[in-house]
Amino acid sequence: MTLFGLSFFVLSLSYFFPVHSRLVGVHLRNMDSFIRAVQQVEDSNPGLCPLALVRALRRTAGHDDAMTIHFLGASNNLSDTEVLETAILNASSFSFFDKAIHHIVTDHGEERGVVLTPDGTTVALAPLLLGIESGLKAKLEGTPAVGIFPLTLGRTLGLTFLSLQDFPPSYRLGPNGCWDNVEHPKVFKLSRPATLATDAVINGGMDGAILGTDLSNLPAHEQPQALSETLKGYYSFTLHGQGLDAVTNHVSPRRREISRSILEPLDALHSQVMETLALVWKLEKTEWIALDTGIGKAVKDGLQTFVHKYWDCPQIISRCQWGAKASRGTPLPLSLPLQFLYVHHTDEPSSPCLSFPNCSRNMRSMQRFHQEDRGWGDIGYSFVVGSDGYVYEGRGWYQLGRHTRGHNDIGYGVSIVGNYTSTLPSRHAMDLLRHRLVQCGVDGGRLAANFTIHGHRQVVNYTTCPGDAFFSEIRSWQHFKE
């Protein structure tokens, strides 16, 4: 089919399949809107092969670069004509998918081609879908899943490490950003100039690597689900009771730990990035890559930054994401590293928070209480841990908090949402605090390596915080001192 023929075919579908009238809310940049649009295509084409659909989506976004074609073939020149004949990409949905998937960062710092997921994190769709397509191709065509890492993370990481090797480690990857409105997201603005590997691209790459690997490893007798069902299972789930403790399947709040288990050890990851860069040079004739003798060190240094930022550290939901009000007065800086970590429970709210909307409401409620009832400049805690799999930013790493009277300038105050007088927080929430957050603090030079953990009650005599059950638990933790 010629380009003119394809264009005529796509436009003519709008007369026969007027799905644009059912694409409610697709102007919003959230994962739920994207999944609904995908499902409407599937509903209009019973039995549509998920591989054919992701190839059609790749075509609409124009993602046929040399490496993608090398691993997946050209999206408009494949033998499975089902891609062209059954995928419903009419004039309206074509425009939506193109804008939703095609990734760019504008001169004004707006990152496009990203969506807000139900868990509160932001994901670039392009690397996510390339990983899924790689996994489906391996599963349905019986070929090795050799392209998943290069297409999801390898190329982006490698080129970022080389282009920014002279920058400080904290600027070699990222940044994150903020949505204009988390309930009705339309615009995502970055916090500083972007690298090739923004946080959203890294998140999408990790998710693509996870889902692509899962699909490629399906048992021989098991057929892949529809694309919308794959995405729903990973992003649109409901937590109960003890949060992630009871979840055995792969879900988005666990992307960091799951991707680490797939891609480690570090030596193997280094080799994969180097092999990807060699392939980039071969396919794209990028001479400066071939001539640079410091490639190996640049990749090694870059991967250390990647591991610290995206694997050792937990995902921290920023203040702008949970809807924080501005701090009143001038925040005071901390003198780092700090020697102490003070463990709290919120007491009120008394129940664990199990979703991004619920945890965000809790954060806003606590900030309102601390500012209006207690007259403090801001929410008192440095960080708050939810049972949804995430840490929420309070005062953060660098600003003096109001959490532990008389000790605010020598330690961080970290609280877990809930009352833990008679029950424990979820194991996952405790591990986020005990292992991930403290390691992030130590490795980043913000918490002393020989730091001490205290319960709030140990240094303030009028409180039972962090609750009898939780305090009994933290007494067994490394770094705890009576």
Side-chain angles (χ1 to χ4, degrees):
M1 181 178 289
T2 65
L3 180 60
F4 174 80
L6 174 60
S7 300
F8 178 78
F9 170 77
V10 170
L11 291 172
S12 65
L13 281 173
S14 62
Y15 292 99
F16 301 102
F17 303 102
V19 300
H20 63 278
S21 62
R22 303 193 302 275
L23 289 174
V24 179
V26 296
H27 61 288
L28 300 179
R29 296 296 177 237
N30 56 35
M31 181 61 76
D32 287 341
S33 293
F34 180 73
I35 292 174
R36 285 196 298 271
V38 168
Q39 188 168 2
Q40 287 169 1
V41 173
E42 294 167 339
D43 289 346
S44 298
N45 290 263
L48 176 64
C49 174
L51 179 57
L53 179 52
V54 290
R55 282 174 172 165
L57 293 176
R58 169 159 60 99
R59 187 180 73 250
T60 69
H63 288 158
D64 270 8
D65 57 80
M67 180 169 285
T68 303
I69 293 173
H70 173 80
F71 285 113
L72 302 177
S75 62
N76 62 350
N77 190 31
L78 294 164
S79 58
D80 56 341
T81 55
E82 180 182 18
V83 174
L84 302 177
E85 294 175 352
T86 65
I88 301 179
L89 299 173
N90 68 6
S92 176
S93 58
F94 181 95
S95 175
F96 166 70
F97 285 128
D98 175 46
K99 292 177 180 178
I101 300 170
H102 187 70
H103 183 268
I104 60 169
V105 177
T106 71
D107 292 339
H108 301 291
E110 178 185 339
E111 187 172 13
R112 299 175 182 174
V114 301
V115 295
L116 178 65
T117 66
D119 65 13
T121 55
T122 302
V123 167
L125 288 171
L128 165 67
L129 294 174
L130 287 175
I132 290 174
E133 184 177 348
S134 298
L136 288 170
K137 183 176 186 295
K139 164 63 179 173
L140 297 176
E141 298 181 1
T143 56
V146 293
I148 293 178
F149 177 75
L151 293 173
T152 57
L153 287 169
R155 183 180 186 277
T156 300
L157 288 179
L159 293 179
T160 300
F161 297 156
L162 295 187
S163 62
L164 298 177
Q165 55 186 301
D166 296 327
F167 280 62
S170 61
Y171 278 78
R172 290 176 188 164
L173 294 167
N176 205 344
C178 292
W179 287 94
D180 56 336
N181 185 315
V182 293
E183 294 183 357
H184 301 93
K186 295 180 181 179
V187 178
F188 187 69
K189 292 290 291 291
L190 295 173
S191 60
R192 59 172 173 80
T195 68
L196 292 175
T198 64
D199 281 13
V201 170
I202 297 293
N203 286 340
M206 288 191 285
D207 291 350
I210 292 166
L211 292 175
T213 301
D214 287 350
L215 289 165
S216 69
N217 290 333
L218 285 174
H221 65 276
E222 187 175 338
Q223 292 301 306
Q225 294 179 303
L227 176 60
S228 62
E229 292 302 314
T230 296
L231 295 174
K232 285 179 187 177
Y234 187 75
Y235 293 107
S236 302
F237 52 88
T238 301
L239 296 178
H240 302 280
Q242 285 294 293
L244 289 172
D245 287 2
V247 178
T248 58
N249 55 310
H250 288 173
V251 292
S252 55
R254 282 189 157 149
R255 65 168 60 88
R256 296 191 175 205
E257 59 195 84
I258 300 169
S259 62
R260 185 172 206 158
S261 69
I262 292 172
L263 298 174
E264 276 195 324
L266 193 56
D267 288 346
L269 187 61
H270 182 274
S271 297
Q272 289 187 75
V273 173
M274 294 296 290
E275 291 171 5
T276 302
L277 287 174
L279 183 60
V280 171
W281 174 76
K282 178 181 177 181
L283 295 174
E284 302 179 10
K285 308 301 182 185
T286 312
E287 296 183 5
W288 61 274
I289 292 179
L291 296 175
D292 190 339
T293 57
I295 293 177
K297 183 179 186 306
V299 170
K300 181 179 179 181
D301 292 346
L303 284 175
Q304 289 177 342
T305 303
F306 170 79
V307 168
H308 167 71
K309 184 172 183 180
Y310 297 101
W311 284 352
D312 291 341
C313 290
Q315 175 83 54
I316 297 176
I317 302 296
S318 64
R319 292 170 60 89
C320 65
Q321 286 294 90
W322 59 260
K325 292 183 178 179
S327 178
R328 296 175 179 175
T330 303
L332 298 176
L334 289 165
S335 179
L336 305 181
L338 302 188
Q339 187 61 49
F340 293 90
L341 181 75
Y342 301 110
V343 177
H344 299 246
H345 70 168
T346 62
D347 188 30
E348 183 62 41
S350 59
S351 299
C353 65
L354 298 170
S355 67
F356 167 67
N358 182 227
C359 294
S360 295
R361 281 193 296 271
N362 288 168
M363 292 296 292
R364 293 192 294 271
S365 175
M366 285 185 281
Q367 185 189 39
R368 184 166 54 250
F369 174 70
H370 289 174
Q371 286 184 322
E372 297 179 6
D373 290 32
R374 293 193 169 177
W376 298 348
D378 205 339
I379 188 171
Y381 303 118
S382 306
F383 298 97
V384 178
V385 181
S387 293
D388 62 336
Y390 295 107
V391 176
Y392 287 74
E393 180 186 24
R395 301 281 183 113
W397 292 116
Y398 304 106
Q399 293 182 8
L400 181 71
R402 290 287 298 268
H403 46 79
T404 312
R405 179 176 294 180
H407 298 75
N408 294 312
D409 61 339
I410 60 173
Y412 293 109
V414 182
S415 189
I416 297 184
V417 177
N419 180 303
Y420 299 107
T421 300
S422 57
T423 60
L424 284 175
S426 70
R427 179 58 55 183
H428 193 276
M430 290 191 291
D431 286 347
L432 279 177
L433 167 53
R434 179 184 181 184
H435 299 300
R436 304 284 299 286
L437 188 64
V438 297
Q439 183 176 356
C440 183
V442 171
D443 292 348
R446 296 162 291 210
L447 189 62
N450 62 341
F451 72 95
T452 296
I453 289 178
H454 281 321
H456 186 197
R457 65 172 67 183
Q458 289 177 266
V459 292
V460 177
N461 60 15
Y462 58 81
T463 182
T464 60
C465 179
D468 293 345
F470 192 19
F471 181 65
S472 179
E473 165 70 19
I474 69 171
R475 294 176 75 175
S476 67
W477 290 7
Q478 185 182 12
H479 294 279
F480 176 87
K481 290 184 180 179
E482 294 287 357

